[in-house]
Amino acid sequence: MKIFKTLFILVSFPLFAQQGGMWIPSLLEGMNVTEMTNLGMKMTAKDIYDVNNASLKDAIPHFNGGCTSEVISPNGLLLTNHHCGYGQIQSHSTLEHDYLENGFWAKNMKDELPNPGTTATFIIKIEDVTSKILANVDQSLSEAEKQKKIEENMAEVVKNSPKETWQENRVRTFYEGNQYMLFVVETYKDVRLVGAPPSSIGKFGSDTDNWVWPRHTGDFSMFRIYADKNNRPAEYSEENVPYKPKHYLPISLDGVAEDDFTLVFGFPGTTDEYLPSVAIEQVINTINPARIAIRDAALAIQDKYMRADPQIKIQYASKYARIANYWKKWRGETLGLKKSDAAGIKKRQENKLTSEINKKGKQQEYANILPQFEKFYSEIEPYALAREYFLETVLRNVELLRTAYQTYQLKQIFENRGEQSFNDRRDNLLASLENQYKDFNKQVDSEVFEALIALYAKNVPQQFLPNSFKNLNAESTASNIYENSAFVKYNSVKNLLTGNAEEVISKLEKDPGFILVKEMADSYFEKVDPKYDELNTNISALQRNYMKALLELSPKDARIFPNANSTLRVTYGKVNGYSPADAVYYEPVTHLEGVMEKYVPGDYEFDVPKKLIELYNTKDYGPYGENGKMPVNFIGTNHTTGGNSGSPAIDANGNLIGLNFDRVWEGTMSDYYYDPALSRNIMVDIRYVLFIVDKYADAKNLINEMTLVHPKKDKRKIKK
């Protein structure tokens, strides 16, 4: 495996002439540091990642397993996006105390609000364990046997690698199974809400502006990590104290300018940068259109009700935002893949790889990979389409179906594991459903159900549909289920699930909602899932060998970074504008003037709080404005994806200058293909965050916790 380790470190432009990159922070020495230095960075690799001394990594926790956050004070004050904390803000909101509408600010620590289940996870150490994981994984083994041995080795490494009792070992795969890394982590479980601007600031522009530049959104919220008296992770307790970090980020007041160095540090979710061209064509022509059509229908219905009823708006705010986020992303992604000719570029890259395979005499190992990709992607397409419809309809967009499916799983658990496992899962399900039903609206869900079940019956390949769907009437089906199923109310679901396993199952099998889900799930798991898994396993094995070929046959200076997999990564670039179309150029920084230009009184996306208007009119920006203007957002060339939400944007000296929260519409295809001309990440200027906290919210108690600096001027700490 030494050949791979060398390539990982050296990494610039290979057979795949890709720029960007999401780099493992423990492997920055070499090409990465040289490139970052050339871009203007003043730090060393050890300033970014160090096991033995405090470094930037110690200020960057994974927020609740999905976003990134950063510690910005010696008292565990945590900064992340408003949309990352949206669920927590919503959970504390009522009609009487609507923190989504009005914001929330704790003026002292006693007012900070606990959030059961919310976590902040720090990376303590990263170690390459490839040789241990691949030990005795012989090429003569079948794919299933290989995976079984790998899983056994991973379990052994997790169990026997050294850690403290309050820490956890995790092994993650990189380069499609060609490298494995061990992560030692600490997860803090007492994370309290400290501050959030109103949605008219934190979500300004809402879905219209999502994935769009120019942007004018104050997308931030603040939390605090609490620990036990030994500064170790602990469940919520009034006895807990603010966490004392190994490192926290100083905050620069100097702002940004074109070509300034930017480093984004965080936990990007998933990317597929090395998919073959045939896979990209399938995303463009089949998978994304199906996803978009389903969410088009669901969102239109939810939006109609949210605009008409303030209570429904609160109930559905978080759900709508979650569904809309990737709906819009998929639309932009498809446009970007077409505009950049990603499939065509990948075909040309594949031709170069084929030439290199022939030149190096590697036909026996690699020549069959690309033809096999063509074969397997052609075979998997109808199964992949049916799978997307099942996931989007049953598990993601219709709440009644999702709940009924969870009870379908209960039945499976009883049949496979017995009564005790059934009881444990049933009790956990009832506990989670009680909170979920507070935000359930029968009328809204019924209308979404009717629209989506009609699409399901029409667009899922006929051979995969249940027999009852062949002549389905969506309207009458919806009417029957939402009038007669127990799944429309929490109390009736609770009654439905009361009793021993056989009694519960007997009741479930008479419920029309359960009957429908059972028909859909049985058909899916009989006709779709097994074949999809078989083909996907073959594709994954091919992808691993394809990646191996790239690593082996690319030049030594090849720029081959691992796909994102929700592990800690570094991505670096510069503050830069861009030109998305002929005669169009976007500046890299927006200002408060742009907020006022978009202002629509009373509009749920573009309303502006009265106090913010007053601050704008008086130009009362304090030390946070620049040349009489208040910067709001800026863009850079950092290669980011979902999971980077909340990631700190860090300057050349290691100071916080912004907060990553989005990408531009034209560059959302960067999960599959990074185009340096179009791909830009969007960040909140940290000065706008400070301005809102200080001048708008008058939460000077929070400002006083932070360390504010002027690195471009005199590196002196600013007086508060």
Side-chain angles (χ1 to χ4, degrees):
M1 295 306 297
K2 288 183 179 179
I3 181 173
F4 297 133
K5 191 168 183 181
T6 302
L7 283 169
F8 298 155
I9 295 173
L10 287 178
V11 235
S12 225
F13 298 80
L15 300 165
F16 281 74
Q18 245 171 320
Q19 298 181 42
M22 300 173 178
W23 307 97
I24 303 170
S26 58
L27 300 176
L28 292 176
E29 292 284 5
M31 185 282 295
N32 291 121
V33 167
T34 299
E35 187 172 32
M36 287 189 282
T37 301
N38 290 338
L39 288 171
M41 186 183 75
K42 308 299 181 185
M43 296 178 286
T44 67
K46 284 190 175 295
D47 290 329
I48 297 169
Y49 174 91
D50 196 332
V51 173
N52 301 313
N53 300 288
S55 58
L56 289 181
K57 78 168 175 62
D58 299 312
I60 319 295
H62 207 178
F63 184 80
N64 214 29
C67 285
T68 304
S69 55
E70 51 276 350
V71 184
I72 57 171
S73 90
N75 296 316
L77 188 62
L78 204 62
L79 182 65
T80 190
N81 285 152
H82 187 270
H83 75 260
C84 293
Y86 204 79
Q88 290 80 359
I89 302 165
Q90 182 201 35
S91 71
H92 294 292
S93 294
T94 63
L95 285 174
E96 294 75 24
H97 299 286
D98 190 346
Y99 299 138
L100 291 175
E101 181 74 21
N102 303 312
F104 169 79
W105 304 98
K107 295 304 174 70
N108 56 66
M109 292 182 185
K110 291 181 181 179
D111 294 335
E112 295 172 359
L113 303 176
N115 302 281
T118 300
T119 58
T121 300
F122 291 89
I123 305 300
I124 306 304
K125 184 175 74 169
I126 306 172
E127 179 184 343
D128 190 318
V129 291
T130 305
S131 60
K132 295 178 182 179
I133 301 302
L134 296 181
N136 300 316
V137 181
D138 193 274
Q139 293 305 310
S140 64
L141 299 176
S142 69
E143 189 61 28
E145 289 169 334
K146 287 178 184 177
Q147 290 306 312
K148 182 180 178 183
K149 186 59 182 175
I150 286 170
E151 288 170 8
E152 290 173 355
N153 290 345
M154 287 174 68
E156 189 72 15
V157 168
V158 167
K159 179 181 178 182
N160 295 322
S161 297
K163 67 175 182 63
E164 301 293 348
T165 56
W166 61 88
Q167 296 173 342
E168 179 187 353
N169 288 330
R170 300 175 181 175
V171 174
R172 297 290 184 264
T173 181
F174 294 78
Y175 295 102
E176 280 67 47
N178 286 288
Q179 184 185 38
Y180 292 84
M181 305 292 282
L182 170 71
F183 292 80
V184 182
V185 306
E186 286 181 354
T187 298
Y188 287 80
K189 300 177 181 180
D190 186 353
V191 181
R192 305 181 195 179
L193 179 62
V194 173
S199 293
S200 52
I201 292 174
K203 207 171 182 290
F204 181 79
S206 192
D207 302 300
T208 297
D209 273 5
N210 192 24
W211 305 102
V212 169
W213 186 258
R215 197 69 178 276
H216 301 87
T217 310
D219 194 348
F220 77 94
S221 59
M222 290 181 167
F223 292 78
R224 192 183 307 279
I225 302 172
Y226 281 77
D228 67 14
K229 63 181 180 179
N230 296 313
N231 206 39
R232 294 172 185 168
E235 297 287 349
Y236 170 79
S237 168
E238 292 184 2
E239 303 301 316
N240 288 345
V241 295
Y243 168 68
K244 299 298 181 184
K246 297 174 186 175
H247 180 70
Y248 66 91
L249 299 180
I251 297 174
S252 170
L253 289 180
D254 285 347
V256 299
E258 185 93 28
D259 290 328
D260 275 0
F261 174 82
T262 55
L263 182 149
V264 172
F265 212 163
F267 294 84
T270 57
T271 56
D272 282 301
E273 302 290 343
Y274 305 101
L275 287 181
S277 58
V278 63
I280 299 301
E281 289 170 340
Q282 194 169 103
V283 168
I284 294 171
N285 299 320
T286 303
I287 302 302
N288 276 0
R291 292 165 166 170
I292 292 164
I294 294 166
R295 295 198 180 194
D296 269 339
L299 288 167
I301 293 163
Q302 291 181 4
D303 180 70
K304 177 182 68 175
Y305 282 100
M306 289 171 68
R307 287 180 181 273
D309 189 325
Q311 180 62 40
I312 293 176
K313 181 181 175 183
I314 291 176
Q315 287 179 316
Y316 277 77
S318 182
K319 291 182 282 191
Y320 184 94
R322 182 178 65 249
I323 296 168
N325 189 42
Y326 266 76
W327 162 77
K328 193 167 185 179
K329 188 258 188 184
W330 290 326
R331 292 169 62 221
E333 178 178 87
T334 301
L335 291 173
L337 289 170
K338 290 179 179 178
K339 182 179 176 65
S340 63
D341 188 29
I345 290 169
K346 284 180 178 287
K347 282 181 181 177
R348 292 190 287 276
Q349 293 166 344
E350 289 159 8
N351 290 336
K352 290 181 181 179
L353 178 62
T354 299
S355 297
E356 198 66 20
I357 289 169
N358 295 333
K359 179 180 176 182
K360 297 290 177 64
K362 295 287 183 176
Q363 293 92 332
Q364 185 173 350
E365 292 176 72
Y366 302 129
N368 202 37
I369 292 175
L370 292 171
Q372 286 290 95
F373 271 141
E374 292 279 352
K375 174 180 181 293
F376 286 133
Y377 272 104
S378 176
E379 291 179 11
I380 205 173
E381 183 165 308
Y383 297 93
L385 178 63
R387 180 176 182 269
E388 287 300 326
Y389 266 94
F390 184 80
L391 295 176
E392 286 291 317
T393 303
V394 176
L395 300 185
R396 294 174 184 159
N397 290 288
V398 182
E399 293 181 78
L400 183 143
L401 292 181
R402 182 171 64 245
T403 304
Y405 179 76
Q406 290 173 303
T407 64
Y408 172 85
Q409 290 178 304
L410 271 180
K411 183 174 183 290
Q412 312 304 309
I413 288 170
F414 172 63
E415 292 171 352
N416 294 316
R417 302 182 193 173
E419 184 96 24
Q420 185 58 52
S421 294
F422 172 91
N423 290 337
D424 291 343
R425 178 65 71 88
R426 184 257 312 274
D427 294 344
N428 289 335
L429 176 59
L430 282 172
S432 66
L433 289 178
E434 184 173 13
N435 188 57
Q436 290 178 32
Y437 271 93
K438 293 176 183 176
D439 293 328
F440 177 81
N441 183 285
K442 173 183 171 182
Q443 186 176 5
V444 177
D445 202 58
S446 174
E447 199 167 322
V448 172
F449 170 94
E450 182 180 333
L452 268 56
I453 212 73
L455 286 173
Y456 195 96
K458 178 183 178 182
N459 295 324
V460 170
Q462 292 295 300
Q463 67 268 31
F464 302 140
L465 287 173
N467 290 332
S468 63
F469 273 59
K470 300 299 170 64
N471 297 299
L472 181 79
N473 183 296
E475 183 178 0
S476 62
T477 301
S479 177
N480 175 46
I481 287 176
Y482 283 82
E483 288 303 317
N484 299 305
S485 174
F487 291 104
V488 296
K489 292 181 181 178
Y490 175 71
N491 286 337
S492 57
V493 173
K494 188 176 181 180
N495 291 334
L496 188 67
L497 297 181
T498 299
N500 62 41
E502 290 184 354
E503 291 169 342
V504 169
I505 290 169
S506 177
K507 288 188 284 184
L508 284 171
E509 290 179 339
K510 297 181 181 69
D511 185 277
F514 180 87
I515 291 169
L516 181 73
V517 162
K518 184 177 185 301
E519 290 176 345
M520 296 175 74
D522 284 349
S523 184
Y524 174 79
F525 287 113
E526 177 188 344
K527 301 174 183 178
V528 178
D529 191 62
K531 188 64 175 179
Y532 177 87
D533 281 350
E534 175 193 327
L535 292 168
N536 196 48
T537 298
N538 292 333
I539 288 171
S540 296
L542 272 179
Q543 192 71 44
R544 183 180 64 243
N545 290 336
Y546 185 47
M547 195 76 242
K548 184 172 181 285
L550 290 173
L551 292 166
E552 182 179 335
L553 299 176
S554 292
K556 288 185 177 180
D557 63 348
R559 188 183 189 88
I560 305 178
F561 53 90
N563 275 316
N565 60 359
S566 294
T567 58
L568 188 62
R569 303 294 182 89
V570 167
T571 172
Y572 48 86
K574 285 190 170 188
V575 176
N576 271 155
Y578 73 112
S579 180
D582 182 48
V584 175
Y585 177 76
Y586 285 133
E587 296 286 343
V589 179
T590 61
H591 300 85
L592 194 54
E593 282 85 350
V595 174
M596 300 308 159
E597 289 169 1
K598 293 179 177 179
Y599 171 38
V600 179
D603 185 84
Y604 89 101
E605 293 186 302
F606 294 102
D607 202 2
V608 177
K610 180 180 178 182
K611 186 171 181 181
L612 187 59
I613 296 172
E614 292 172 353
L615 290 167
Y616 169 74
N617 288 335
T618 60
K619 300 296 183 286
D620 186 8
Y621 303 147
Y624 315 114
E626 183 176 30
N627 299 323
K629 302 177 76 173
M630 185 66 243
V632 176
N633 295 156
F634 65 97
I635 53 175
T637 60
N638 303 84
H639 188 175
T640 62
T641 189
N644 276 124
S645 290
S647 290
I650 297 170
D651 71 6
N653 299 294
N655 304 302
L656 185 64
I657 53 173
L659 186 63
N660 189 82
F661 72 98
D662 207 353
R663 284 175 284 169
V664 302
W665 172 261
E666 298 86 356
T668 50
M669 78 294 187
S670 61
D671 288 350
Y672 297 116
Y673 174 70
Y674 179 91
D675 185 339
L678 294 176
S679 298
R680 295 290 183 273
N681 63 309
I682 306 177
M683 296 158 275
V684 187
D685 193 305
I686 196 62
R687 293 171 296 175
Y688 190 58
V689 172
L690 297 175
F691 163 71
I692 295 299
V693 174
D694 186 347
K695 292 293 184 175
Y696 178 85
D698 194 30
K700 291 182 171 57
N701 56 306
L702 301 177
I703 298 293
N704 290 336
E705 283 190 50
M706 307 172 197
T707 299
L708 308 181
V709 297
H710 269 307
K712 289 183 180 178
K713 297 177 182 177
D714 57 11
K715 299 185 180 180
R716 292 177 302 174
K717 180 177 175 181
I718 278 292
K719 292 182 179 179
K720 320 256 193 337

